[in-house]
Amino acid sequence: MDATGYLAGLNRDWRERFVAEKRVLSFAQYLNLFEACPGKLGRSSAQYLKDVLDYHGTRMVATPGRDLLRYSLFDITFDGGRERLIGQEAVQQDFYHILANFAQEGRASRLVLLHGPNGSAKTSFVQCLARAMVDYSSTDDGAVYTFNWVFPKSSYLGKRVGFDAGGDLPPDLETHAFLEELNLAARVPAELRDHPLFLLPLGDRQAFLDELQAAGKVPDGFRFAENLLRGDLGPVSRRIFDALLSSYGGNLAQVLAHVQVERVYLSRRYRRGLVTVEPQMHVDAAIRQITMDESYGNLPAVLRHVPMFELSGDLVDAHRGLLEYSDMLKRPMDTFKYLLGTCESGSVSVTGAILHLDLLFVGTTNDKYLEAFTRTPDFPSFKGRMELVRVPYLRSYTVERGIYDMQVTEAVAGKHIAPHASAVVALWAVLTRLHKCDPAAYPESIQAAVTALTPIEKADLYASGTPPSGLKPDVARELRKAIDFMLAESRGSTDYEGSLGASPREAKGALLSAAHTDRYRCLHPVQVFDELEGLLEQRSLYEFLQMAPDGEYHRHPELLEAVRERYAQWVDTELKQAMG
């Protein structure tokens, strides 16, 4: 291998990609690009995330109750399916509908709060969204732009760039956007990753967008981001713009010559448009004056008197993207009261300035914290600024099994995994979550069948649509038709089905503990049963073990015995099949 030749080829490839991805543009080039695709470059953060979901497409998932629409984004095919979301199709649809409403409003005017029991995949849901946004921002459809102020060295022009010397720029220097670093005296980034179109004065900006609308270049039903229609430059950029405009005697073209439009790639690692706030107290936005910075000392004389500020904080970093409040209601209420005004107005006040924001607020919380929050005097004020999305535990053991097959692989377990090891723990976890049906809520023709439904029979109904044996054909058909209603029967209650039971974390812990024993050379279902028996003895540690029995439901030793019997049936069937 010729290392020098390899490096030369790599350099050539990167230069070609740099140009093809339009990473750096002049303002005039960006305006032409915006004119060609206003629906992509003029969208709000909510519309952006909706487009991310649409970009990856959808597929239908067959379930016993009804076919569900699944957004392929959550399969994480762009990253080999790693840490994908298992199930939760109903949650995906609820979230998408909220995004569609926000897109029509032009901004996300409310905080989306995902609530459910511990381990129900709330955080995984948000992480899938964030990872998909990172991937989408690297595509042509997902391009996001901001700008920098660039100032050439006086030696480059042979004069003081018009600040003191006056006069127009030479015709061949209509933009400084592409100057090489050695010819630059200073570069000042837009402190809030401002949209480049903010450089057009508000009235002219509106006229430009109206012309695009009249020319039919805006997609039908599309609404420009409210922030784009009403927002303005950050405090530092506004001061620079006004100072340059005064110095150039109102020559806007000369002001825009100092604009370098730059493409932004969203990143969770570097907190560009994607931020997760952990449940601790801190300030979410702040401003400080910059006093010691060599690059700012090289600014032209006309800008030397302009105060330079640096914005920081979670709101600033997440601007034009997504901000997740993890375990939001664990924070003291005073730390997020500002969200009442921020969500409603799309702005936040910091010392000496008001920042215009365009981002999607998403929070996650446990049902218990939400229930306590609803009893506080402040809840009515928050309720109108929140969209609640329930994320329950899964109730299909065939879907639940996918979680453990994905997370507990042979590489993780360190040994071979015997058949049904993940299936038995998935079935057991689902059985702990099921509630007894209310027969009065069903048609009289199936009330007797619903009353007699055991936990294992209900689990089979949810997983495969298999009704209990011995039912008349017409009763069995009607019971299958009632599955969708059965899943939603307790939706209006705080004690809904899927709100309590063994979490996937606890079930996964039992699997891993079984894997670490030396009793078997493989991860065997028999050892899994031993681990689950040990878990049932720790009644004080697990809330679901303290649930009052309701008929055959919530009797956890009996439920584990039912799983043993089902495992014996699976083995018996497979043995007979193997023997012909």
Side-chain angles (χ1 to χ4, degrees):
M1 178 178 175
D2 179 6
T4 303
Y6 168 76
L7 186 59
L10 193 63
N11 180 59
R12 182 174 58 253
D13 292 343
W14 271 95
R15 289 178 66 87
E16 291 174 356
R17 286 171 57 186
F18 186 89
V19 175
E21 292 176 6
K22 300 181 177 65
R23 291 199 175 196
V24 174
L25 301 171
S26 68
F27 184 78
Q29 287 177 321
Y30 175 79
L31 211 58
N32 287 329
L33 186 62
F34 189 98
E35 182 182 7
C37 48
K40 298 295 184 185
L41 298 178
R43 55 193 164 181
S44 64
S45 58
Q47 179 69 60
Y48 188 90
L49 185 49
K50 177 178 177 292
D51 288 348
V52 174
L53 286 158
D54 290 335
Y55 177 79
H56 289 279
T58 59
R59 60 186 176 89
M60 298 305 297
V61 177
T63 68
R66 59 190 168 105
D67 289 348
L68 295 175
L69 187 68
R70 179 177 177 83
Y71 289 87
S72 300
L73 174 156
F74 296 98
D75 295 327
I76 313 295
T77 54
F78 54 87
D79 194 14
R82 184 177 59 87
E83 297 179 2
R84 62 189 181 276
L85 180 70
I86 304 296
Q88 302 295 9
E89 285 76 20
V91 179
Q92 297 170 28
Q93 292 182 51
D94 290 344
F95 186 81
Y96 183 86
H97 291 154
I98 292 171
L99 285 181
N101 292 335
F102 286 162
Q104 288 300 310
E105 295 179 41
R107 67 183 182 89
S109 57
R110 294 173 295 284
L111 181 143
V112 182
L113 186 61
L114 305 176
H115 65 97
N118 287 329
S120 63
K122 301 180 294 294
T123 299
S124 297
F125 185 94
V126 180
Q127 287 179 348
C128 286
L129 293 174
R131 292 167 62 194
M133 291 175 72
V134 171
D135 177 73
Y136 183 66
S137 71
S138 66
T139 67
D140 291 340
D141 287 343
V144 178
Y145 287 91
T146 184
F147 67 90
N148 306 305
W149 295 101
V150 290
F151 302 95
K153 292 179 179 178
S154 57
S155 59
Y156 173 75
L157 290 174
K159 60 177 186 175
R160 301 294 299 277
V161 201
F163 291 111
D164 297 326
D168 295 328
L169 290 169
D172 58 335
L173 295 175
E174 59 185 16
T175 180
H176 307 309
F178 305 107
L179 290 181
E180 295 183 359
E181 194 69 25
L182 57 87
N183 293 318
L184 280 180
R187 177 188 286 107
V188 181
E191 69 273 32
L192 203 57
R193 281 196 302 277
D194 286 328
H195 196 292
L197 224 59
F198 282 177
L199 291 160
L200 294 179
L202 187 58
D204 298 313
R205 189 194 321 162
Q206 185 66 61
F208 175 68
L209 298 178
D210 288 343
E211 287 182 13
L212 294 180
Q213 194 91 42
K217 295 187 176 182
V218 179
D220 292 339
F222 175 78
R223 179 183 171 91
F224 284 112
E226 186 71 16
N227 190 48
L228 187 61
L229 298 174
R230 305 282 180 263
D232 205 344
L233 293 168
V236 172
S237 291
R238 170 50 60 193
R239 291 186 176 98
I240 292 176
F241 182 94
D242 291 343
L244 292 181
L245 195 64
S246 297
S247 178
Y248 282 131
N251 190 325
L252 182 63
Q254 286 185 302
V255 175
L256 297 178
H258 292 277
V259 172
Q260 178 191 67
V261 177
E262 182 179 21
R263 184 167 176 177
V264 177
Y265 294 87
L266 303 184
S267 171
R268 296 172 64 205
R269 179 188 295 269
Y270 302 113
R271 293 170 61 92
R272 287 197 299 265
L274 295 168
V275 174
T276 296
V277 180
E278 298 297 335
Q280 68 260 3
M281 290 185 65
H282 63 282
V283 179
D284 293 320
I287 186 171
R288 70 176 182 89
Q289 187 166 0
I290 298 172
T291 55
M292 298 291 290
D293 191 293
E294 182 179 351
S295 63
Y296 291 116
N298 293 329
L299 288 172
V302 72
L303 297 179
R304 300 278 172 80
H305 71 284
V306 175
M308 291 293 168
F309 295 93
E310 180 181 63
L311 298 173
S312 62
D314 301 319
L315 290 174
V316 174
D317 293 340
H319 179 52
R320 302 184 70 187
L322 183 147
L323 177 59
E324 176 199 3
Y325 286 96
S326 179
D327 287 325
M328 178 178 175
L329 298 183
K330 287 184 179 179
R331 304 176 94 202
M333 190 173 299
D334 288 342
T335 63
F336 58 84
K337 275 188 175 180
Y338 71 89
L339 290 177
L340 291 173
T342 302
C343 289
E344 192 166 20
S345 64
S347 61
V348 66
S349 296
V350 294
T351 305
I354 295 178
L355 309 181
H356 298 276
L357 300 172
D358 178 24
L359 68 158
L360 182 67
F361 293 94
V362 177
T364 61
T365 189
N366 186 284
D367 278 331
K368 299 297 181 183
Y369 285 96
L370 178 60
E371 186 179 353
F373 182 54
T374 60
R375 294 194 293 267
T376 63
D378 292 306
F379 179 71
S381 300
F382 281 94
K383 188 175 182 297
R385 279 96 167 182
M386 285 183 174
E387 293 282 358
L388 299 179
V389 178
R390 180 174 287 169
V391 187
Y393 285 139
L394 299 177
R395 286 168 286 171
S396 168
Y397 62 83
T398 56
V399 178
E400 177 88 5
R401 178 181 179 177
I403 298 175
Y404 312 118
D405 288 340
M406 175 180 68
Q407 296 183 357
V408 185
T409 61
E410 292 191 358
V412 173
K415 58 177 64 174
H416 172 68
I417 299 176
H420 308 304
S422 59
V424 296
V425 77
L427 177 57
W428 173 80
V430 166
L431 289 177
T432 66
R433 304 167 187 169
L434 300 183
H435 289 186
K436 187 177 181 179
C437 295
D438 178 12
Y442 295 83
E444 187 176 349
S445 57
I446 60 171
Q447 285 184 359
V450 168
T451 302
L453 207 58
T454 66
I456 196 80
E457 290 172 342
K458 191 174 187 181
D460 287 336
L461 204 58
Y462 282 165
S464 60
T466 304
S469 58
L471 293 180
K472 294 180 179 180
D474 56 334
V475 175
R477 282 194 300 270
E478 196 167 349
L479 190 61
R480 278 196 295 267
K481 290 179 181 178
I483 293 175
D484 200 36
F485 176 81
M486 195 177 292
L487 286 164
E489 180 186 333
S490 58
R491 183 174 295 173
S493 170
T494 55
D495 183 26
Y496 57 91
E497 187 176 69
S499 65
L500 199 59
S503 79
R505 294 171 185 167
E506 291 152 1
K508 176 184 174 183
L511 272 176
L512 292 176
S513 296
H516 295 153
T517 183
D518 296 330
R519 182 178 174 186
Y520 295 96
R521 289 180 298 174
C522 62
L523 172 50
H524 198 283
V526 173
Q527 182 60 33
V528 174
F529 285 125
D530 292 344
E531 294 296 333
L532 294 178
E533 283 182 351
L535 187 150
L536 293 181
E537 294 174 358
Q538 304 177 56
R539 183 182 176 86
S540 61
L541 297 181
Y542 300 101
E543 186 179 2
F544 74 93
L545 295 179
Q546 303 166 25
M547 298 173 67
D550 185 8
E552 296 184 44
Y553 293 80
H554 314 318
R555 297 184 180 275
H556 299 97
E558 289 85 347
L559 295 179
L560 184 57
E561 190 58 35
V563 179
R564 285 185 189 273
E565 293 177 5
R566 177 57 59 87
Y567 172 62
Q569 292 172 11
W570 290 336
V571 173
D572 183 68
T573 300
E574 291 172 352
L575 181 60
K576 290 176 179 177
Q577 289 175 344
M579 295 174 64

